[in-house]
Amino acid sequence: MDWGTHLWDQYDHIDKHTLAGLDLVERYIKFVKERTEIEQSYAKQLRNLTRRYAKRGSKDEPDCKFSNHASFQEILNELNDYAGQRELIAENMMTGICVELTKYLQDLKQERKTHLSDVKKAQQNLETTFKQLESTKKRFAKEWAEADKATQQAEKIENDNNATRLDAEKAKLHAQARTHTAEECRNDYAAQLQKYNKEQKFFYYSEIPKIFNKMQDMDERRIQRLAEGYCQFSDIEKNVLPIISKCLEGISAAGMKINEKQDSMLFIEQHKSGFERPGDAEFEDYSQGIKPATSDSSLHPPKVRAKLWPFSKKQQKLPAAEDFSHLPPEQRKKRLHAKIDDITKELQKAQDQSDALEKMKGVYEKNPQMGDPSSLEPQITETAHNIGRLRGELTKYETWLSEAVGGEESSNTINNNTRHSVVAADQSHNIYTEFEDEFDDIESPVGHCVALYTFEGNSEGTISITEGELLSIMEEDKGDGWMRVLRASGEEGYIPSSYVKLGP
C-alpha cells in the first residue's frame, strides 16, 4: 500500500496530512520543553528546601551526634542528590529530545518543501502541454472549418453557369490550399495530443506516484523518529531510576539507622552531672533558742557539697573555666579526658618530629655534604620547647582530672530547688577544707551585704535569707559563686553570691 498508487489524486489531503505531522513534532518539542522547565523548577525547589532545613554550623555540634538528628541530615543529603537527578532528567530531555528533534524537524520541513515544489513543477508542465494541445485543437478546428467552406464555395462556383472557368479554377485552388492547411493543423493536433497523453500518463503513473511515495517515506520516517522521541521521554527517566532508587533507599536506610535507646544513652552521657540526689532536710529545733554567733555552724563550715543544677527555667550561666570546673563532675571528667587525649596526640606528634630532626642531624654530622647540622638547631629548639609546653599542659590537666575524680567521690547531696548553680565538688572541697586548719576563735566579718532575693537554704551548709535582710560577710566568694554570711540571729552558712548586693 503506497500513496502514489492509491492517493494519486489526493494531493490536497497529502499536503494537509504531512503538515499536520510536522505540527505534531513541533507540539511535542514544546511539550518536552515545558516538562524540562517543570523538572528544573522542581529540582530548584528541592535544593532550596534542603538548604533551609540543613543543620547550620559544624557537624561536631552536640545535636548532630544523636541518630535521629544525623538521620535527618542524611535524608536532606539524599534529597539533594535526588534533586540532582531531576536536573539530569531535564538536561537529557533538552539535549536528547528537544535539540535533536528541532534539528530533524527543520530537515523535514525542507524535504517536504522540495517534494511539494516538484509536484507543482510537474503540474505546471502538464498544464502547459494541455494548453498547447488546446491551442492546436482550436487551430485545427478553425482551419478545417475554413477548408470546408472553401470547398463548398468552389463547388458552388463550378456548378454556377454564369461563372467563368477562371473563377472556378481559382476557387478550386483556394479550396485545395485551405484543405492542405487544415490537414497540417490536423497533424499538429494529432502530434500534440499524442505528446499530451504521453506526458499525462507519465504524470499520473510515474512522476506524481514517485513524489507521493517519497512524501510517504518522509512521513513514515517522521513517525518513526517521533516514536523514538516518545520512548526517550520514558527512557531518560528510567536511566536515572537506579540512582533515584538509591536516594530513596538511602532515605529509608537513614530512618532505619535511628536508635532511640542509643540517643537516650547519648543524651544521658552528654548531660549527666554525677551529683547525688538531695537527702532529707534536717530538722532545725528553734525551741532551743537563737544560736549564738559562736555556734558550731560558724566554726565548722558545711561539708563538701556537690554542684547544684536546679530545675529552673532560667539558670545562671557561669563563665567557662580552663579546668572545666564550671561543668558538672561527669561532664568535667569527659572534657578533661578529651583534652588529655588531644594533648597526648600533639605530644606524640611533636616527639616524632623531634626524633626525625635528631636523626637528620646525625645524618648531617656524618655526611656534611648533605646539609649543615647547625641549620636544624632552631627547629630542634622550637620542637623541644613545644614538647615541654605540652608536657606541662598534660600534667596540669591530669592533676585536674585527679581532683575531679576525688571530688566526685566525696560529693554530698544537693538541693534541686536551688535557682542558681555553684562550683564543682573539687573546688568546694578545697575551699571548705581550708577551715579545718583555721583557729577556733570567733571570726570578724570582712564586710556587709544586703539580700536582693529570698533564698531557701535547704541543703547542708546553707542558710535561708529573705529579701532586704542585712548580712555580715564572714567569707568572700572564692570564685565558686558562694559566700559565707552571718545573720543577725546568729545563724551562719553559705548563700549564692548573686543573691546579695555588697554594702559599704
Side-chain angles (χ1 to χ4, degrees):
M1 300 289 286
D2 56 70
W3 291 4
T5 301
H6 301 278
L7 300 177
W8 61 270
D9 57 345
Q10 299 297 321
Y11 168 78
D12 290 340
H13 289 93
I14 291 176
D15 183 12
K16 292 179 180 179
H17 178 75
T18 54
L19 181 61
L22 298 182
D23 288 342
L24 178 60
V25 175
E26 200 161 5
R27 284 177 58 205
Y28 182 64
I29 293 172
K30 185 177 179 181
F31 162 75
V32 176
K33 283 183 179 179
E34 292 188 11
R35 165 69 188 278
T36 59
E37 292 173 0
I38 292 173
E39 290 289 351
Q40 290 169 344
S41 176
Y42 178 47
K44 183 178 180 181
Q45 291 179 25
L46 286 178
R47 289 195 183 278
N48 290 337
L49 179 66
T50 56
R51 193 178 300 114
R52 284 198 303 271
Y53 283 88
K55 189 72 174 178
R56 293 178 176 83
S58 173
K59 293 182 178 179
D60 296 330
E61 289 186 358
D63 284 349
C64 294
K65 296 179 181 179
F66 293 104
S67 63
N68 56 100
H69 288 265
S71 292
F72 184 55
Q73 294 302 313
E74 290 184 22
I75 289 172
L76 294 177
N77 293 336
E78 294 292 349
L79 190 61
N80 196 54
D81 294 341
Y82 177 85
Q85 298 307 310
R86 306 315 304 187
E87 291 173 340
L88 183 61
I89 289 174
E91 181 181 352
N92 290 340
M93 283 188 175
M94 181 60 71
T95 56
I97 298 179
C98 296
V99 175
E100 294 297 327
L101 273 184
T102 299
K103 183 179 178 182
Y104 184 72
L105 179 62
Q106 297 302 321
D107 296 338
L108 282 182
K109 287 182 176 180
Q110 185 60 41
E111 183 179 353
R112 178 177 177 275
K113 183 178 180 181
T114 301
H115 293 323
L116 295 180
S117 177
D118 291 342
V119 172
K120 289 183 178 180
K121 287 180 181 178
Q123 288 178 334
Q124 289 174 356
N125 291 336
L126 185 62
E127 289 175 359
T128 301
T129 305
F130 181 74
K131 289 179 180 179
Q132 292 175 353
L133 175 63
E134 287 294 316
S135 177
T136 56
K137 180 180 177 181
K138 289 180 181 179
R139 185 183 176 191
F140 167 62
K142 180 180 178 183
E143 291 297 331
W144 188 258
E146 291 293 333
D148 187 55
K149 183 178 179 182
T151 300
Q152 291 179 2
Q153 184 67 24
E155 291 178 355
K156 183 178 179 181
I157 293 174
E158 186 178 357
N159 294 329
D160 188 0
N161 294 326
N162 296 324
T164 61
R165 185 176 181 82
L166 181 61
D167 291 336
E169 201 55 44
K170 186 177 179 180
K172 185 178 180 180
L173 290 174
H174 178 68
Q176 289 176 350
R178 281 291 181 181
T179 302
H180 179 71
T181 301
E183 287 293 335
E184 289 180 350
C185 290
R186 181 176 180 276
N187 292 335
D188 289 342
Y189 170 63
Q192 191 64 36
L193 179 62
Q194 185 178 6
K195 179 182 178 182
Y196 173 75
N197 288 334
K198 181 180 179 181
E199 289 191 7
Q200 180 177 250
K201 183 177 181 181
F202 174 74
F203 179 83
Y204 286 113
Y205 287 90
S206 179
E207 190 173 19
I208 290 299
K210 185 177 180 181
I211 295 174
F212 283 3
N213 286 339
K214 288 182 179 179
M215 295 184 73
Q216 179 184 0
D217 177 68
M218 177 199 73
D219 193 64
E220 289 176 353
R221 283 187 283 109
R222 172 195 65 80
I223 295 173
Q224 184 180 8
R225 182 65 184 85
L226 188 59
E228 293 174 0
Y230 290 167
C231 294
Q232 277 183 289
F233 188 81
S234 172
D235 293 340
I236 287 174
E237 186 158 356
K238 285 181 180 178
N239 292 336
V240 299
L241 279 181
I243 302 178
I244 289 178
S245 296
K246 287 184 179 180
C247 293
L248 298 177
E249 289 172 1
I251 292 175
S252 298
M256 297 298 293
K257 286 181 181 178
I258 295 177
N259 187 326
E260 64 279 4
K261 296 297 182 183
Q262 179 181 340
D263 284 0
S264 295
M265 292 299 298
L266 179 59
F267 180 70
I268 292 172
E269 289 298 323
Q270 284 185 352
H271 300 288
K272 67 179 180 180
S273 66
F275 294 139
E276 295 292 335
R277 290 179 176 83
D280 295 338
E282 296 181 358
F283 177 76
E284 297 185 24
D285 191 358
Y286 289 97
S287 62
Q288 301 300 322
I290 300 175
K291 296 180 182 179
T294 57
S295 63
D296 292 341
S297 61
S298 63
L299 299 179
H300 299 283
K303 298 178 181 179
V304 178
R305 304 164 59 251
K307 192 171 184 180
L308 298 176
W309 294 95
F311 295 102
S312 61
K313 295 183 179 178
K314 187 175 181 181
Q315 299 180 9
Q316 181 181 1
K317 187 175 182 181
L318 298 177
E322 185 182 6
D323 60 353
F324 306 112
S325 58
H326 61 288
L327 298 174
E330 285 293 329
Q331 301 306 315
R332 184 188 184 200
K333 285 196 302 179
K334 286 177 62 177
R335 295 292 293 274
L336 288 172
H337 276 299
K339 190 68 177 179
I340 289 173
D341 290 342
D342 293 341
I343 295 174
T344 302
K345 291 178 182 178
E346 291 186 26
L347 183 59
Q348 184 60 45
K349 184 178 179 181
Q351 189 64 51
D352 293 342
Q353 183 179 1
S354 176
D355 294 342
L357 289 172
E358 290 294 339
K359 289 181 181 179
M360 187 179 296
K361 181 180 178 181
V363 172
Y364 286 176
E365 289 175 349
K366 292 181 180 180
N367 303 283
Q369 68 275 9
M370 297 182 65
D372 184 10
S374 60
S375 63
L376 300 176
E377 288 298 331
Q379 298 182 44
I380 293 175
T381 303
E382 182 181 355
T383 304
H385 176 73
N386 190 31
I387 290 174
R389 179 183 61 80
L390 291 173
R391 285 176 176 172
E393 288 188 5
L394 183 61
T395 302
K396 179 173 62 175
Y397 280 98
E398 286 176 344
T399 302
W400 285 336
L401 178 61
S402 177
E403 293 175 356
V405 173
E408 181 190 1
E409 292 174 352
S410 61
S411 62
N412 290 324
T413 60
I414 62 171
N415 176 26
N416 284 336
N417 296 323
T418 307
R419 296 178 57 191
H420 293 277
S421 303
V422 297
V423 294
D426 61 298
Q427 285 193 344
S428 299
H429 175 74
N430 294 336
I431 293 171
Y432 301 149
T433 53
E434 291 175 2
F435 293 98
E436 296 177 1
D437 300 328
E438 292 292 334
F439 49 85
D440 295 331
D441 297 335
I442 299 176
E443 297 180 87
S444 299
V446 296
H448 299 279
C449 61
V450 178
L452 298 175
Y453 315 102
T454 298
F455 173 71
E456 299 293 337
N458 296 328
S459 298
E460 184 179 358
T462 64
I463 61 172
S464 300
I465 59 175
T466 58
E467 182 180 352
E469 183 178 359
L470 181 63
L471 305 168
S472 298
I473 302 175
M474 305 306 294
E475 181 183 332
E476 294 180 342
D477 186 354
K478 300 288 187 175
D480 58 0
W482 291 79
M483 64 168 56
R484 185 162 58 92
V485 298
L486 176 65
R487 300 181 69 185
S489 62
E491 187 179 6
E492 186 178 350
Y494 287 87
I495 62 170
S497 303
S498 59
Y499 274 52
V500 298
K501 177 181 180 182
L502 299 180

